[in-house]
Amino acid sequence: MIDPVIASRLQFAVTTIVHIIFPVMSMGLAPFLIYFTWKEIRTDEQVYEQLRAFWTKVFAISFVVGTVTGIVLEFEFGTNFAAFSTAAGELFGGPLAIEGMMAFMLEATFLGIFVFGRDRVSDRLYMLSSVLVGLGTWLSAVWILVANSWMQTPRGFEMAHESGQPVVTLVDPVAAYANPRFPWMYVHMQNAAVLSVALFLTGVAAYYVWTNRDTEFWRKTMKAGLAVLLVTAPFQAVHGDAYGRHVADTQPQKFAAMEAQYDTRSSVGLKLLAFPTSLEDVTDPHAEDLFVVEVPFVASLLASGGDPDAQITGLNDLPAESPPVAVVFWAFRAMVGLGVWFVLLAFWGGYRWYRGELFEDDLLAKALVGSSVLGILAVELGWIVTEVGRQPWVIQGVMKTHAGVSPGLTGAEALTTLAGFVGVYSALLVLYWYVVVRLVREEAPTRPPTPERDASGTEEVVASDD
């Protein structure tokens, strides 16, 4: 039977990987909805009313499914990680409770006005409701990331013992909740959410442009998404570079795993590829066993913020056990590779827009369509780096993951719930995707395909799949 520690970790990973999609959609859509609402009230143009009404439906669907999948995550702290909850409940429970009582209630209350109240309240109150819905969505992320960032860089606590068990006691709330990791995580996560939704909006709009069924609705959607992408994609790259230096300073073990750096040395190159040369070393590789393709000096340059000769501490010289290096290394590279593609895609689209050819470039449209969900994939990869890179700790340097698992949990129980959660969450994800795709196809304003001339000069009609 599977180890309950492994099964519990897999279950939490599966539920988190599915759940994060819906907050990303909600948080990323919020700024767009505020903008569309403001433009609708200011200009009284029908297209902005359509944009606000349509994307509000996607937001509401994401909010509902995100609520359902998120509540279960909090229960898992008690069912699968009861020892962790007992030890860290005083510090960890507060932010989660505040998130529910303050941020979630603010969002849920004004979402009712925003969804159903357009013809029932004044423009001023309706505009306020859009802002407060967005504020509630972003405040939810504050308290979730306060809790998670404390697990990465714990501060403001002391260890005590109650009934023979170690317990975290909060002694400095400011130090704990404003810990060094929080601002980095929050800015990176929120920008990633907006970037992901910008890619999604731009990709869906590009599909209708590419298939010659575009309307003013889709053209404005594409422009709004691309404008945001032009800001968020480069910013994510710059911020991510600085964030990496913070990780190197505060979690050298995670940074070494990100770079597959086993030996401590100076003038370290950035590894583009790294493979063990022996099958026996796949699960436990060492520096001398790696086949590496690297760019000289760049890892030291990035880790230090400008010194190509800077020293990077290797995993072999760090006191704690190593995280699964291959998972962290490849997830980090895939995330960075996607980030580079997003920057190139944004500049490509911006150049075509500047030239007045945004809606005539079929290759760009295909690239945008193919990239529509890659932002969410990049978020998933980022969380894998964040959480797997912290292993074997559930609270960095304080409590190991195996010590946080519920002591009475058996392998059979953990495996049964894991299978159940995989089935239920997979079904929810498929249902969510089906509803969103159907909504886009049936309710978004489109026009029939228009005749286009082929090379011989005869007219051919682009077929519609509606």
Side-chain angles (χ1 to χ4, degrees), residues 12 88 115 138 147-148 150 155 160 164 235 243 297 306 362 370 434-435 437:
F12 202 87
V115 173
W138 281 46
N148 188 276
W150 178 82
R155 300 288 191 278
F235 177 76
Y243 188 2
F297 306 108
D362 285 348
Y434 169 78
V435 171
V437 170

Side-chain angles (χ1 to χ4, degrees), residues 267-291:
S267 305
V268 179
L270 178 67
K271 298 179 180 67
L272 303 179
L273 301 172
F275 298 102
T277 56
S278 169
L279 290 177
E280 290 79 13
D281 295 330
V282 168
T283 58
D284 186 24
H286 302 281
E288 63 271 15
D289 301 323
L290 293 177
F291 169 76

